Amino acid sequence: APPHVTHTNITSLRLSWMHPHNGGSELTNFWLRWWETDAAGRPESIRDCGEMMVKGKRRFILVDGLQARRTYQFQLAAENKMGLGQYSEPSKPAKTLDPALPLAPGKPIGVRCSFNTITMLWTPSESIGAECTAQVVQISN
């Protein structure tokens, strides 16, 4: 049976699955592969895709590092000492959530001052599903 999505986030999807028949040998690992299905006109060569090994007998995995607001499908294959079995049918399409506003940056700290310059240091904002394109510093008296 194909894996199914149990939780959706901005840049991750959590999947779970049923253990397949082991073919007479204990299952050792699973292999999960995914691809972006709704590419909004982007060529297939630049669509998001990947594959990962899920060690042991786990029946769930969090696939992170996905792109926000994109649709993915997944396939799963079981592995035992005889080798890798066939991949499942594709899962139902699942879409990651829309990106959110970035988190606030850390408090700026003055590092160096001179007559006409100030050098500041801060922890940058954390992006939430979309690249931060600017950090704005506001100075007041």
Side-chain angles (χ1 to χ4, degrees), residues 25-46:
S25 178
E26 186 175 346
L27 297 177
T28 55
N29 301 304
F30 291 96
W31 286 86
L32 180 73
R33 64 183 176 194
W34 64 92
W35 61 94
E36 182 185 355
T37 60
D38 180 14
R42 287 188 313 281
E44 193 169 330
S45 61
I46 63 168

Side-chain angles (χ1 to χ4, degrees), residues 14-31:
R14 182 183 164 106
L15 293 103
S16 67
W17 54 87
M18 300 297 295
H19 271 245
H21 177 66
N22 64 15
S25 178
E26 186 175 346
L27 297 177
T28 55
N29 301 304
F30 291 96
W31 286 86

Side-chain angles (χ1 to χ4, degrees), residues 65-135:
L66 301 175
Q67 300 297 313
R69 198 184 309 141
R70 295 200 185 163
T71 304
Y72 293 89
Q73 280 187 284
F74 300 86
Q75 286 181 301
L76 187 74
E79 182 177 25
N80 64 17
K81 68 179 181 179
M82 301 303 293
L84 186 64
Q86 291 184 341
Y87 276 90
S88 68
E89 292 295 319
S91 66
K92 292 180 181 177
K95 190 172 186 177
T96 52
L97 301 178
D98 289 345
L101 293 173
L103 299 177
K107 182 179 179 180
I109 300 168
V111 177
R112 226 176 326 182
C113 293
S114 70
F115 176 70
N116 59 357
T117 63
I118 299 174
T119 302
M120 306 294 293
L121 180 66
W122 65 88
T123 305
S125 300
E126 182 181 340
S127 65
I128 311 283
E131 179 183 358
C132 288
T133 57
Q135 299 274 321

